[in-house]
Amino acid sequence: MSNEHTELHTSIHDWIRQHREAGTSFLQQLVKMPSTQGHEQEAQLFIAEKLRELALDVEVWEPDGDALQSHPYFCSPRSHFTGSPNVVGVLKGSGGGRSLLLNGHMDVVPEGNREQWQDDPFSGRVVDGKLYGRGATDMKGGTASLLMAVEAIQGLGLTLKGDVIFESVIEEESGGAGTLAAIVKGYRADAALIPEPTNLRIFPKQQGSMWFRIEVKGRSAHGGTRYEGVSAIEKSVTVIQHIRELEELRNARIIDPLYAKNPIPIPINIGIIQGGNWPSSVSDTVKLEGRMGVAPEETLEAAKAEMSDWMAGLSLKDPWFESHPPHVEWFGAQWVPGSVDPEHDLMKVLMQQYRVVKQDEPTIEASPWGTDGGLLTQVGETPCIVFGPGITQVAHYPNEHIVLDHMFEAAEIIALTIIHWCGLEA
Amino acid sequence: MSNEHTELHTSIHDWIRQHREAGTSFLQQLVKMPSTQGHEQEAQLFIAEKLRELALDVEVWEPDGDALQSHPYFCSPRSHFTGSPNVVGVLKGSGGGRSLLLNGHMDVVPEGNREQWQDDPFSGRVVDGKLYGRGATDMKGGTASLLMAVEAIQGLGLTLKGDVIFESVIEEESGGAGTLAAIVKGYRADAALIPEPTNLRIFPKQQGSMWFRIEVKGRSAHGGTRYEGVSAIEKSVTVIQHIRELEELRNARIIDPLYAKNPIPIPINIGIIQGGNWPSSVSDTVKLEGRMGVAPEETLEAAKAEMSDWMAGLSLKDPWFESHPPHVEWFGAQWVPGSVDPEHDLMKVLMQQYRVVKQDEPTIEASPWGTDGGLLTQVGETPCIVFGPGITQVAHYPNEHIVLDHMFEAAEIIALTIIHWCGLEA
């Protein structure tokens, strides 16, 4: 490592250390704004204000539901986004460098059962170096690390050659309409980074996923003469086992070493089952709802087609399904998978700066869940890597929190990555 | 057959033929009163009025929920019966004869989806010799045949030696609290007859049944890393199969020839399944609700114990169940099974009068569903046979109806049965 690089690292490290209190306070304010779906405005305007302070060119807009709905990758339970703005800030470089898109989502999942929280779910309280609250890990802590990185670069008076595009989006938790709206607006870059909660692991690949609903049919009868009917509950047992076989088949094909630690790289999870309406009647319908994992290099369409073809095979197991084929519907959320070559230049830069800051070798994996990175990579033509300070295990759970040291480490690694990717003006 | 018997039959037959119009009109009026649970009063007072016309000693009372609740066989979703009276009429015999209890329930199940009815569900309309409406078959038509039988005997000026106790009860469809209340009041007899819809088959044995609820536990996790959780839906597949094996075991023991035509004499029906609350989460609970058939000679307690013991065996199939045993709860409705020796004297009398009226051999079977007959036999110490004119297949269904000819045939058979059982004063 050259002296110049060592000095740069020291400067960034010191700047961030000196601004720990401000960084913590910033995240605290952000967590206190309960930006669940439909309630993102306050937090988004807070971000926009911060971007203006940093002298970025700021755009704030509510995505146009009508226009988005015709987009093949649009997926949202909402058709309008009034009161739910996207925010983008652009830091123009001096020219001649590579551009980097930094993306974080502002929507948080609902807090769930408050009784399972030891404190107010939106407290932002710091205990033993951990900041608590819904969204602290997923992913306001990641967003705070992005902004600290940009602020550090500016605070040290450094000028980047390439552009930095910072996006704070809505709707990640519901299918990515916020990031899609930013892509449609034309925001693209040479590469992208999303600091979702990866425990500081680096994910060049992310699993996609889609929700499905399967209706299994039976024929009702009185329970006392149940042999006169056909139980949709019994038929759904066959369907569940059939889907389990599809999962095995699909996962046997996954030989990517990035999934080596993962017993089921692309699971098919049946999360909901519901059928029948009277204990002593034979149920004539069972509804199954689940999530199908989609491999990083796979398309949503291919995965859907494989599921449909597979379900057609049910009639070989039980002729009932020939006359009563289960209906498969794709509904609700979907996340496009994403894959970036592990040898991509941004991977090399990020891994190197990880080593510099952490004095350790980074862990490279493929994520078991989807992010907006798939949309950026596949639809926005902006290869995206996921790397962030949040704790995977506490995302979406009660008592969600982030380790503040990790947030500052991530800010440091990201600041250096921006500098080495975009290039510095001498 | 003696001449006396032939003349008696002819007199009964003629009386009933001459009163077809009145009998039809009576059933029509009864069906037009929508006596679903909680709304039985109008129809019950109509019956009480009829009994008074026939000069029976009439008692009308609302069962005392508080007092009944401590009874081990009390089972009802209600704890009070205000506005839902029971009606009993007693026709005292001249003495020296056997008493007979005639029981019919006035409660009808709800009409369900009205769009599936071709006419008003409470029309009472007669088309092609069939009278339509909720309750026509189950079992106001049966009740009408009982009352016609009593009226014929009185109309012909015949005097019975034994008492006839006529009961019009509430709550049969919900666990028998009406019949239980009459038993608790002390109404008993040497034998009983219930004209539930058997298609004129004779059932000396009736299956009992109980409702159960089983909670199957899992451990939640994100669907993308579903191997970190334990799917209650997958575990419930094991539970469903385990229950299926119990059903096989229990039915293999049924060697009663009365069940010969019945592929599964005492089914265990799982009617409802419900689990999970998010497609991309691993479900941590599945609730199963169903109906367990209870053999005529079995007690509810023995059947419950067998289910509990069987469920304990789940841990041999999957150690998960050792630490997370499914919880079995008995809830909602129950019907006590009943069994009368096919050689019982009332069976002989009823079968003989069937032959006289129908000129054919009666079909003797065991019922695949419960009636209040189990309570009468097991709790009221009044051996009860089920035989009635309604159509099994249309009970509880849209467009329920009864064939009026069958109702008049039943009235004829029942009148002769009363006469031969109770004895006639010379």
Side-chain angles (χ1 to χ4, degrees):
Chain A
M1 197 184 295
S2 71
N3 270 348
E4 194 195 335
H5 280 178
T6 311
E7 277 170 29
L8 203 52
H9 175 209
T10 307
S11 309
I12 296 282
H13 180 79
D14 290 347
W15 190 96
I16 286 174
R17 203 181 51 202
Q18 287 152 16
H19 292 80
R20 283 179 71 106
E21 210 171 306
T24 302
S25 160
F26 179 81
L27 178 58
Q28 232 162 7
Q29 291 176 72
L30 211 49
V31 167
K32 283 180 176 172
M33 298 170 188
S35 52
T36 51
Q37 190 181 48
H39 304 92
E40 310 89 342
Q41 183 155 286
E42 181 190 12
Q44 288 288 67
L45 297 183
F46 177 74
I47 292 287
E49 189 51 40
K50 180 73 184 178
L51 297 178
R52 286 191 195 99
E53 276 173 29
L54 298 177
L56 272 65
D57 295 331
V58 179
E59 182 172 23
V60 177
W61 81 101
E62 291 168 351
D64 179 350
D66 292 330
L68 282 178
Q69 272 184 29
S70 59
H71 195 286
Y73 284 92
F74 176 75
C75 173
S76 172
R78 302 203 263 177
S79 55
H80 290 283
F81 301 94
T82 311
S84 299
N86 261 348
V87 176
V88 174
V90 177
L91 179 66
K92 285 299 283 181
S94 60
R98 295 177 291 194
S99 57
L100 188 64
L101 195 154
L102 307 171
N103 174 298
H105 66 85
M106 189 50 70
D107 54 314
V108 299
V109 296
E111 67 274 26
N113 184 350
R114 283 182 169 246
E115 288 176 12
Q116 294 182 18
W117 288 79
Q118 288 171 0
D119 201 346
D120 180 326
F122 299 98
S123 74
R125 208 179 308 276
V126 176
V127 182
D128 291 339
K130 296 168 190 154
L131 193 150
Y132 284 81
R134 172 60 77 233
T137 255
D138 187 6
M139 60 170 283
K140 290 174 174 177
T143 293
S145 68
L146 291 181
L147 286 172
M148 275 195 100
V150 172
E151 197 169 1
I153 291 167
Q154 294 196 311
L156 293 169
L158 305 171
T159 304
L160 299 167
K161 288 181 178 167
D163 299 347
V164 171
I165 299 156
F166 171 89
E167 297 182 345
S168 180
V169 299
I170 61 169
E171 293 287 294
E172 191 276 339
E173 299 289 358
S174 309
T179 289
L180 183 66
I183 291 170
V184 168
K185 271 238 174 231
Y187 289 109
R188 293 176 190 217
D190 293 317
L193 178 70
I194 299 183
E196 287 269 15
T198 70
N199 301 345
L200 295 177
R201 289 169 297 176
I202 298 173
F203 291 171
K205 301 187 182 187
Q206 306 110 47
Q207 183 176 137
S209 66
M210 316 179 277
W211 286 4
F212 58 84
R213 180 181 292 136
I214 299 177
E215 204 176 280
V216 183
K217 292 193 190 70
R219 191 175 61 234
S220 74
H222 188 283
T225 50
R226 73 172 194 84
Y227 41 84
E228 289 173 358
V230 174
S231 165
I233 293 175
E234 281 185 40
K235 294 302 175 194
S236 73
V237 166
T238 307
V239 173
I240 290 169
Q241 287 165 336
H242 194 64
I243 291 175
R244 192 60 59 245
E245 290 167 26
L246 174 62
E247 185 190 54
E248 279 169 27
L249 186 89
R250 286 172 54 78
N251 281 279
R253 292 198 301 247
I254 306 283
I255 51 165
D256 191 329
L258 293 186
Y259 274 116
K261 290 186 191 166
N262 203 317
I264 311 174
I266 47 168
I268 306 180
N269 181 70
I270 297 173
I272 295 178
I273 186 166
Q274 211 155 10
N277 47 33
W278 197 248
S280 60
S281 293
V282 175
S283 63
D284 64 355
T285 313
V286 167
K287 188 185 71 181
L288 304 171
E289 289 183 359
R291 167 200 185 274
M292 183 179 194
V294 182
E297 286 83 6
E298 194 177 26
T299 63
L300 301 181
E301 292 67 31
K304 283 180 188 175
E306 186 169 26
M307 170 75 96
S308 291
D309 290 352
W310 187 254
M311 295 306 281
L314 267 170
S315 58
L316 298 174
K317 288 190 175 159
D318 182 342
W320 170 260
F321 294 113
E322 197 159 355
S323 47
H324 300 81
H327 177 68
V328 182
E329 180 191 348
W330 302 95
F331 80 106
Q334 69 176 30
W335 286 266
V336 179
S339 176
V340 166
D341 185 345
E343 301 294 315
H344 188 279
D345 234 29
L346 182 60
M347 279 296 290
K348 287 181 186 165
V349 172
L350 178 60
M351 287 167 70
Q352 181 54 26
Q353 300 317 312
Y354 182 97
R355 290 184 196 108
V356 166
V357 171
K358 295 280 287 183
Q359 296 293 310
D360 197 2
E361 196 57 25
T363 301
I364 315 298
E365 285 181 19
S367 87
W369 24 257
T371 69
D372 278 353
L375 279 173
L376 287 173
T377 305
Q378 277 204 25
V379 183
E381 292 167 345
T382 303
C384 179
I385 295 168
V386 177
F387 161 77
I391 306 169
T392 311
Q393 291 78 6
V394 300
H396 295 212
Y397 279 85
N399 308 310
E400 179 178 342
H401 60 273
I402 192 167
V403 175
L404 287 167
D405 278 352
H406 295 170
M407 181 174 90
F408 298 123
E409 282 175 343
E412 210 173 310
I413 296 166
I414 293 168
L416 291 169
T417 299
I418 294 171
I419 289 167
H420 287 91
W421 176 262
C422 297
L424 270 194
E425 198 61 51
Chain B
M1 195 183 296
S2 72
N3 271 348
E4 193 195 335
H5 280 180
T6 311
E7 277 169 30
L8 203 53
H9 175 210
T10 307
S11 309
I12 296 282
H13 180 79
D14 290 348
W15 190 96
I16 286 173
R17 203 183 48 204
Q18 286 152 16
H19 291 80
R20 285 180 68 107
E21 209 170 305
T24 303
S25 159
F26 179 80
L27 178 59
Q28 231 162 7
Q29 290 177 74
L30 212 48
V31 167
K32 283 180 177 173
M33 298 171 187
S35 53
T36 51
Q37 189 181 47
H39 305 91
E40 310 88 342
Q41 183 156 282
E42 181 189 13
Q44 288 289 69
L45 297 182
F46 177 73
I47 292 289
E49 190 51 38
K50 179 74 183 174
L51 297 178
R52 286 192 195 98
E53 275 173 29
L54 299 178
L56 273 64
D57 296 330
V58 179
E59 182 172 24
V60 177
W61 81 101
E62 290 166 352
D64 179 349
D66 292 330
L68 282 177
Q69 273 186 28
S70 59
H71 196 288
Y73 285 92
F74 175 75
C75 174
S76 172
R78 300 203 265 176
S79 54
H80 292 283
F81 301 95
T82 311
S84 298
N86 261 348
V87 176
V88 175
V90 177
L91 180 65
K92 284 298 285 180
S94 59
R98 294 177 292 193
S99 58
L100 188 63
L101 196 154
L102 306 171
N103 174 297
H105 67 84
M106 189 49 71
D107 54 313
V108 300
V109 296
E111 68 272 26
N113 185 351
R114 284 182 169 248
E115 287 175 14
Q116 295 182 19
W117 287 79
Q118 286 169 5
D119 202 346
D120 181 327
F122 299 98
S123 74
R125 206 179 310 278
V126 177
V127 182
D128 291 339
K130 295 170 192 153
L131 192 149
Y132 284 81
R134 171 59 78 233
T137 254
D138 185 9
M139 59 169 286
K140 291 175 174 176
T143 293
S145 67
L146 291 181
L147 287 171
M148 277 196 97
V150 173
E151 197 168 3
I153 291 168
Q154 295 197 311
L156 295 169
L158 305 172
T159 304
L160 299 168
K161 289 182 178 166
D163 299 346
V164 170
I165 299 156
F166 171 88
E167 298 182 346
S168 180
V169 299
I170 60 168
E171 293 287 294
E172 191 275 340
E173 299 288 359
S174 307
T179 289
L180 183 67
I183 292 170
V184 168
K185 271 238 176 237
Y187 288 110
R188 291 173 192 221
D190 293 319
L193 179 71
I194 299 182
E196 287 269 14
T198 72
N199 299 347
L200 295 178
R201 288 169 298 175
I202 298 174
F203 292 171
K205 304 189 182 187
Q206 306 110 45
Q207 182 176 140
S209 65
M210 318 178 276
W211 286 3
F212 60 83
R213 181 181 290 135
I214 299 177
E215 202 176 283
V216 183
K217 293 191 190 73
R219 192 175 60 234
S220 74
H222 188 283
T225 51
R226 73 174 195 83
Y227 40 84
E228 290 172 358
V230 174
S231 166
I233 293 175
E234 280 185 40
K235 295 302 174 192
S236 73
V237 166
T238 306
V239 172
I240 290 168
Q241 287 163 336
H242 194 63
I243 291 174
R244 194 57 61 243
E245 289 167 26
L246 174 62
E247 184 189 55
E248 279 170 28
L249 185 88
R250 284 172 54 79
N251 282 280
R253 291 197 301 248
I254 307 282
I255 51 166
D256 191 330
L258 295 187
Y259 274 117
K261 290 186 189 161
N262 201 319
I264 309 175
I266 46 168
I268 306 180
N269 180 69
I270 297 173
I272 296 180
I273 187 167
Q274 211 155 10
N277 47 33
W278 198 247
S280 60
S281 292
V282 175
S283 63
D284 64 356
T285 313
V286 166
K287 188 184 68 180
L288 303 172
E289 288 184 0
R291 168 202 186 274
M292 183 179 195
V294 181
E297 287 84 6
E298 193 176 27
T299 63
L300 300 182
E301 292 67 31
K304 283 179 189 175
E306 186 170 25
M307 171 75 97
S308 291
D309 290 352
W310 186 255
M311 294 307 281
L314 267 170
S315 58
L316 299 173
K317 288 190 174 155
D318 182 342
W320 171 258
F321 294 113
E322 197 158 357
S323 47
H324 301 81
H327 177 66
V328 181
E329 180 190 350
W330 301 96
F331 79 108
Q334 68 176 30
W335 286 266
V336 179
S339 175
V340 167
D341 184 346
E343 301 295 314
H344 188 280
D345 234 30
L346 182 60
M347 278 296 291
K348 289 181 183 162
V349 173
L350 179 60
M351 287 167 70
Q352 181 53 27
Q353 301 317 315
Y354 182 97
R355 291 184 195 105
V356 166
V357 173
K358 294 280 289 181
Q359 298 292 311
D360 197 2
E361 198 55 28
T363 301
I364 317 296
E365 284 182 19
S367 87
W369 25 257
T371 69
D372 279 353
L375 278 173
L376 288 174
T377 305
Q378 278 204 26
V379 183
E381 291 167 348
T382 303
C384 180
I385 295 168
V386 178
F387 161 77
I391 305 167
T392 311
Q393 292 75 7
V394 299
H396 296 211
Y397 278 85
N399 307 312
E400 179 178 343
H401 60 273
I402 192 166
V403 176
L404 288 167
D405 278 350
H406 295 170
M407 181 173 89
F408 299 124
E409 283 174 342
E412 207 172 313
I413 296 166
I414 291 168
L416 292 168
T417 299
I418 293 171
I419 289 166
H420 288 91
W421 176 262
C422 298
L424 270 193
E425 199 60 52

